[in-house]
Amino acid sequence: MLRDPAQTPSDEPPDDHARFMRLFLSSEKEIFRYVAALAPRAADAQDIVQQTAIALWRKFDQYDPAQPFTPWACRFALHEARQFLRRDQRWGAFLGDDLVDDLAARRSALGGEMDRRFAHLNDCLQKLPPAQRETVESYYYRRTPVEQLADATGRSVEALYKALQRIRQALLLCVARAMKADGEAS
Amino acid sequence: MKYPSDEFDAALSAVCDGTVAEAQSRALADLLRLDSAARDAYLIAVELHARLASDNALFFKAGSEEEAIDAIPFPAARTAAARKAWPILACAATLAAAALIAAFYIIGAHRSGAAFARVLRSAGAEFSDHFEAAEGAPLRDQTLTLAKGSVEFITARGATVVIEAPAEFRFESAQRLRLARGKAAAEAPPAAKGFTVVTPSGEVIDLGTKFGVDVSASGSSEVHVFKGEVVASAGAASAKQSLKKDQALALEAGAAAPRALRTAAFIHADELQQLAAGLRGGRQARWMESIDRLKRDPALLAFLDFDATKDGEFRWAQGRWPGTRAAEFTQPGDFLPVEFSGTTNELTLAAWVRLDQVPHAINSLLHTNDWEQPGQVHWMVAQNQRMRLAVFDVRCVDQSDYFYPQSSRLVTAATGRWTHLATVYDANRRIARFYIDGEFDNEVALLASVPAVLGPGRVGNWNRKERILSGRLDELVMLKRALSDSEIHALFEAGNPYAER
């Protein structure tokens, strides 16, 4: 069929872009968790994921659809994380490339076991006492800054950080127990 | 520092919260280097923290439908993370695409943990409530009115939803879409199993599938399943029903009734992509120019674009272009009256249609009322899914197996799209010709010839015989001359909303 070439838009890449978006969005959480193993502060991890997204898009023409996207993307994320950690004085400075590599490799090795361990995280969150649940939800889900949360609840910032630590420990205990029960059941 | 110890726990927590002190960092890093058990404990604890920080769905009861009705406003100000991105953006200024990605991120990142869905693609989407359908724009618990066009969202769990105007909707969570009006086609991957569409007259729960929900202005709704399975109910008091591939259900006033599948009712993701690309390529502007030319053609008998109100039983839906109207026929009795006049030896009929594949029924494109009078014109898609043109003639013909002329190709496909149908009747040359999407399909010799006589008629249900129309009709053109192949092709090209075909 005859087709006027001028009628076929070719000067824009949005279809590629949409394809990229789909792939990226499907991997985004895993990239975030991968990066967070190295740079745990949520805002830092988010920054690194953002830089990773830009880097991935620049190199997207080199991505071979025959390979799974997430591992390809994680290589870029590791590179971005290294760059970030080298500049970071509070935590990154003490990690060093050796420990970064060890942690990244060990996390990959733990892959399936991580999923099993956290399979019951949702249930465990539901089981938290209401006050703890409210705290964890405000902090993680609504992203309320701790200072603001302290103001709103009349607690000190230190007390809130301590509370968060306790909640996380309770959750770890809960998921570990649930995993053990799963193991015994099967 | 040792593992396990309170010191270790405190350091770990401080690293997660970003409050870690230098000495604490050094001690923790040294311990992680030496002690593989500490390393595993660190990775597990950080994984918990990362999951809490990134997985919205964790905060809702599994399978519950009461997700996130909180309406805590997010600060409009950019976060530190987003501000920091600007210098990097500037470096990448030459890379427009990188900027696009960054823009996506700046819009979405600081609340990616909280967005229920994001815009994936827009085909001329315009909202009446200051929402911009920019790629990546996040949606939370907000009611939106889509006035024009179509837009595709991806939810936090990876379900994609194409919504076509006119529509009013609200993502109440990543797993729950409230559709007050309009058409939504959803495709849910396993991670989004349980994705629910709530309508004023019922709800539809996905069980891993591709389905569409259509809510009329009156609030009655329909669900159509294209793949997999859904569970639907007409409100809380009504029993849940399982629907499988190719099944459809009408939900109204607390009752659910089976109905015929409307294969072409919804725009799916692949079609949206073609529509978006067509708009970017300036197709709508070219179409408007060509319409102006067409309207000056002295042979033009009728040009119906359905943008003006008409009597009849049908409803309005969006046409091929954002904000234009098409007549939509969904019930067996739906029809649209038309009034043409004239007698002509040459006749061209052309229309943009979006037809459902209805087996065992005749889709009527145009039926003049006085059948059994010589020259009356009936144009349809017959039970065999071929386009047919019947011009009534009382004269005897010497072939008893004579059938009305029809196209050789099938007109409707399993998944409907906008299709251009045309037929040329030429009594002088004794031929009828058929065209599908601008391509010549078939020519049939007529045994006898009689001038076509146009009078009052109907699109859709024609009560003298069982005729229906299931689908949309966007544009109907009638000329009293036989257009050439290239003219028909040009008519199609000018009106084609897709980037490619």
Side-chain angles (χ1 to χ4, degrees):
Chain A
M1 181 177 123
L2 283 174
R3 192 172 285 141
D4 178 357
Q7 294 188 353
T8 311
S10 56
D11 53 337
E12 289 181 69
D15 293 339
D16 232 21
H17 187 243
R19 198 164 65 89
F20 171 77
M21 277 303 180
R22 266 176 224 272
L23 286 166
F24 180 75
L25 288 173
S26 66
S27 304
E28 187 187 9
K29 280 181 197 161
E30 172 59 12
I31 298 173
F32 178 88
R33 296 193 298 252
Y34 178 69
V35 158
L38 310 169
R41 188 175 162 258
D44 293 344
Q46 195 65 69
D47 270 9
I48 296 166
V49 174
Q50 179 180 331
Q51 295 313 319
T52 304
I54 295 170
L56 286 171
W57 173 244
R58 281 183 188 152
K59 301 279 176 172
F60 192 52
D61 56 339
Q62 292 167 25
Y63 167 66
D64 177 357
Q67 63 183 143
F69 180 79
T70 313
W72 184 75
C74 284
R75 283 213 307 276
F76 286 78
L78 182 59
H79 176 75
E80 293 298 330
R82 278 215 187 89
Q83 303 282 96
F84 172 87
L85 290 167
R86 277 178 200 142
R87 293 191 304 268
D88 178 46
Q89 295 302 308
R90 296 182 77 175
W91 168 242
F94 305 99
L95 272 184
D97 282 352
D98 60 326
L99 189 50
V100 167
D101 288 346
D102 280 0
L103 287 172
R106 181 62 184 151
R107 185 185 177 277
S108 302
L110 287 173
E113 119 102 48
M114 284 290 194
D115 283 341
R116 273 194 304 283
R117 177 173 296 268
F118 290 105
H120 295 282
L121 180 53
N122 181 277
D123 297 338
C124 288
L125 273 165
Q126 305 301 326
K127 284 183 202 151
L128 284 178
Q132 293 200 338
R133 212 193 116 88
E134 176 57 30
T135 303
V136 79
E137 215 173 288
S138 300
Y139 183 72
Y140 282 111
Y141 174 67
R142 293 190 207 110
R143 308 275 171 99
T144 314
V146 166
E147 292 73 17
Q148 203 177 313
L149 209 55
D151 277 355
T153 56
R155 285 188 286 180
S156 71
V157 169
E158 293 71 30
L160 264 172
Y161 278 129
K162 207 70 211 165
L164 282 166
Q165 184 187 329
R166 274 195 298 271
I167 296 167
R168 285 188 293 244
Q169 278 165 345
L171 288 171
L172 282 175
L173 210 60
C174 175
V175 295
R177 277 196 197 117
M179 180 171 69
K180 194 155 168 274
D182 276 352
E184 281 159 7
S186 62
Chain B
M1 191 181 286
K2 280 188 189 127
Y3 170 76
S5 69
D6 290 349
E7 235 188 318
F8 173 78
D9 291 344
L12 228 161
S13 233
V15 170
C16 289
D17 295 327
T19 56
V20 72
E22 257 191 54
Q24 231 178 347
S25 279
R26 187 190 304 275
L28 180 61
D30 286 348
L31 176 65
L32 295 181
R33 245 179 219 101
L34 294 172
D35 186 340
S36 65
R39 209 147 56 215
D40 281 5
Y42 163 90
L43 284 170
I44 288 166
V46 168
E47 180 81 11
L48 168 79
H49 161 76
R51 283 177 189 238
L52 291 170
S54 64
D55 193 353
N56 227 0
L58 282 175
F59 292 92
F60 308 117
K61 258 188 212 125
S64 89
E65 299 310 327
E66 56 192 68
E67 297 186 9
I69 313 296
D70 64 311
I72 290 156
F74 273 73
R78 289 200 188 92
T79 61
R83 274 198 302 276
K84 272 201 293 188
W86 285 112
I88 292 137
L89 252 186
C91 299
T94 48
L95 287 165
L100 196 67
I101 267 290
F104 163 83
Y105 237 73
I106 286 157
I107 297 164
H110 62 291
R111 44 192 210 179
S112 65
F116 294 151
R118 289 181 187 167
V119 173
L120 202 53
R121 198 195 303 269
S122 150
E126 283 180 33
F127 291 84
S128 9
D129 17 43
H130 306 293
F131 180 81
E132 286 284 334
E135 241 170 297
L139 266 194
R140 216 164 172 272
D141 199 11
Q142 62 203 113
T143 300
L144 293 179
T145 305
L146 180 63
K148 290 180 180 179
S150 304
V151 60
E152 182 181 9
F153 297 100
I154 182 160
T155 70
R157 292 213 197 161
T160 54
V161 184
V162 177
I163 298 182
E164 187 183 8
E168 193 183 322
F169 62 96
R170 180 185 191 97
F171 276 96
E172 293 179 342
S173 77
Q175 284 288 83
R176 193 174 165 93
L177 169 70
R178 185 172 288 276
L179 185 65
R181 182 167 59 101
K183 293 183 175 73
E187 193 162 2
K193 195 173 165 184
F195 178 75
T196 302
V197 180
V198 186
T199 75
S201 50
E203 69 173 39
V204 182
I205 301 166
D206 157 84
L207 301 175
T209 190
K210 187 171 171 182
F211 67 98
V213 179
D214 186 2
V215 183
S216 72
S218 70
S220 64
S221 53
E222 290 176 10
V223 51
H224 297 260
V225 181
F226 301 104
K227 211 165 96 184
E229 186 181 0
V230 305
V231 168
S233 74
S238 154
K240 288 192 170 160
Q241 289 197 36
S242 157
L243 280 187
K244 297 217 165 65
K245 183 178 185 298
D246 295 340
Q247 293 185 323
L249 207 58
L251 309 171
E252 191 170 8
R259 66 147 295 139
L261 186 78
R262 288 160 57 203
T263 54
F266 301 93
I267 293 178
H268 298 280
D270 49 347
E271 186 184 357
L272 182 79
Q273 180 178 335
Q274 284 291 309
L275 287 171
L279 285 173
R280 280 197 308 275
R283 286 207 170 271
Q284 187 170 12
R286 276 199 294 280
W287 166 74
M288 287 165 81
E289 283 169 23
S290 87
I291 290 304
D292 283 344
R293 277 197 303 278
L294 182 67
K295 283 180 174 167
R296 288 196 298 269
D297 192 317
L300 186 72
L301 283 169
F303 176 84
L304 293 183
D305 60 5
F306 305 106
D307 272 353
T309 314
K310 294 275 191 312
D311 305 327
E313 297 285 332
F314 63 97
R315 57 191 214 186
W316 294 117
Q318 186 164 251
R320 294 169 350 270
W321 315 106
T324 61
R325 295 209 290 186
E328 184 174 47
F329 304 83
T330 62
Q331 306 299 327
D334 283 359
F335 73 98
L336 175 103
V338 286
E339 180 78 53
F340 306 117
S341 62
T343 300
T344 174
N345 277 317
E346 293 182 13
L347 178 68
T348 301
L349 294 167
W352 277 99
V353 297
R354 198 182 168 90
L355 295 179
D356 302 318
Q357 205 172 47
V358 236
H360 321 302
I362 293 178
N363 261 316
S364 151
L365 299 169
L366 173 68
H367 275 57
T368 52
N369 286 342
D370 294 327
W371 190 246
E372 287 134 23
Q373 294 294 317
Q376 291 283 303
V377 177
H378 284 185
W379 184 33
M380 67 204 80
V381 175
Q383 293 100 321
N384 61 11
Q385 308 300 316
R386 289 176 168 84
M387 185 183 358
R388 179 188 292 169
L389 180 71
V391 175
F392 193 81
D393 192 351
V394 288
R395 281 171 290 190
C396 291
V397 292
D398 54 5
Q399 261 178 289
S400 55
D401 59 348
Y402 177 76
F403 293 96
Y404 287 115
Q406 63 177 21
S407 67
S408 62
R409 276 168 54 207
L410 305 186
V411 165
T412 55
T415 306
R417 295 181 129 211
W418 286 111
T419 306
H420 189 252
L421 302 182
T423 181
V424 169
Y425 177 78
D426 192 331
N428 298 330
R429 290 161 63 208
R430 289 194 173 189
I431 50 164
R433 290 167 72 82
F434 296 93
Y435 301 82
I436 300 167
D437 281 340
E439 302 268 14
F440 169 70
D441 166 80
N442 193 21
E443 179 178 299
V444 179
L446 304 171
L447 291 180
S449 66
V450 57
V453 178
L454 298 161
R458 276 182 167 199
V459 170
N461 174 269
W462 185 65
N463 37 22
R464 303 252 319 262
K465 280 200 180 124
E466 276 307 307
R467 298 285 190 273
I468 62 154
L469 184 57
S470 187
R472 293 185 227 178
L473 186 61
D474 188 354
E475 210 175 274
L476 180 65
V477 176
M478 195 183 282
L479 292 117
K480 56 178 178 187
R481 67 183 177 88
L483 293 196
S484 68
D485 289 3
S486 61
E487 282 178 308
I488 300 240
H489 186 76
L491 202 57
F492 157 76
E493 267 300 333
N496 180 12
Y498 304 113
E500 290 174 37
R501 159 103 34 188

